[in-house]
Amino acid sequence: VPPPASTAAAASPSPRASQSLLAPPGGSRRGSACGGGARKSQILANDFNVTLAEVTVVRLLASSGPMMVYEALFCHTPVVLKVIREDYNDSTGEAARQLFFEAELLDLANAVSTRAVRLYACGFEPRPFLLLELVQDSRVLLPIRTVKALARRYGDDVAVEDLPREAFAGLLEDAYQRERDRLAELTRGGAAGGGVAAALRRSSSSSAASGGVTGALRRSSS
């Protein structure tokens, strides 16, 4: 678990901000999605240059309403793929709007804090999708559902550009610290019932089912 950081530190732009919406680090790069060059800073640009053909699905993680969530590979990096169902008729465009709102919100969260799960890419072809960081260990990162809940404190229909950056960073930090403290307590309690590793495994399993942050990306469509 990373060491705690002050709210003031979280409010400052992070080193990840300059990498926002770049292809995931690590591994060789190939094709248009993994080629060199900086990506567009506007995540909703029609030429964002990532397609589902460049993503390899590994397994289904969750399905909820119009959304499907998969573990996948992109540029040889494990990711979470969140995509509108192929058989879903999004005639009103509401599902796509919700997906793009999440992309914008995570883009902002990544710019002001290191506490939220990272957004790697936003694509449109053949249907809208997001590529997100896959949390594979005991790190604490805030999933989409938590970031959206924090944003809704400013109103159900809040626009991302209207969110106060410093205050929002503080909310992210507070949520991170609460979950970090919860996991620390679980770890201490688990010492008598299987040790730290067992406690973290139980916590990760519980998070996936209940909406907690560690491992919750595996159910990020909820």
Side-chain angles (χ1 to χ4, degrees):
V1 176
S6 66
T7 299
S12 302
S14 73
R16 294 197 315 193
S18 62
Q19 300 176 1
S20 178
L21 302 177
L22 298 176
S28 61
R29 299 188 172 193
R30 57 176 177 76
S32 60
C34 301
R39 290 213 179 275
K40 294 282 188 180
S41 60
Q42 293 292 324
I43 63 173
L44 303 186
N46 289 329
D47 59 347
F48 189 65
N49 209 26
V50 181
T51 70
L52 280 177
E54 295 164 291
V55 181
T56 302
V57 170
V58 175
R59 64 189 178 102
L60 177 68
L61 297 177
S63 174
S64 177
M67 301 295 176
M68 304 289 286
V69 181
Y70 299 91
E71 181 180 341
L73 292 174
F74 176 63
C75 297
H76 309 288
T77 300
V79 297
V80 169
L81 166 65
K82 185 171 185 179
V83 61
I84 295 177
R85 299 169 58 105
E86 187 174 9
D87 60 352
Y88 182 77
N89 180 15
D90 191 22
S91 58
T92 65
E94 181 57 33
R97 282 192 293 271
Q98 179 63 28
L99 201 66
F100 297 151
F101 172 74
E102 292 178 357
E104 287 186 303
L105 192 57
L106 276 183
D107 192 42
L108 172 63
N110 292 164
V112 301
S113 173
T114 61
R115 303 313 193 189
V117 68
R118 188 171 172 186
L119 172 68
Y120 284 148
C122 174
F124 301 86
E125 296 295 336
R127 56 193 187 276
F129 66 92
L130 305 181
L131 296 179
L132 310 169
E133 183 175 5
L134 177 65
V135 182
Q136 297 179 297
D137 52 29
S138 59
R139 289 176 303 153
V140 178
L141 288 173
L142 304 177
I144 287 178
R145 64 167 60 190
T146 301
V147 177
K148 284 198 298 185
L150 296 175
R152 286 181 179 136
R153 295 189 182 186
Y154 298 95
D156 289 340
D157 299 320
V158 64
V160 173
E161 60 266 24
D162 293 335
L163 290 172
R165 294 170 66 92
E166 186 171 345
F168 189 56
L171 291 179
L172 293 168
E173 180 66 22
D174 289 344
Y176 165 81
Q177 294 294 346
R178 285 195 300 272
E179 185 62 16
R180 185 175 180 275
D181 292 345
R182 186 185 72 84
L183 287 178
E185 184 63 29
L186 281 174
T187 301
R188 286 193 292 270
V196 171
L200 286 174
R201 283 196 299 272
R202 288 195 297 271
S203 174
S204 179
S205 175
S206 173
S207 294
S210 66
V213 298
T214 299
L217 272 179
R218 300 182 184 278
R219 299 184 60 86
S220 61
S221 64
S222 301

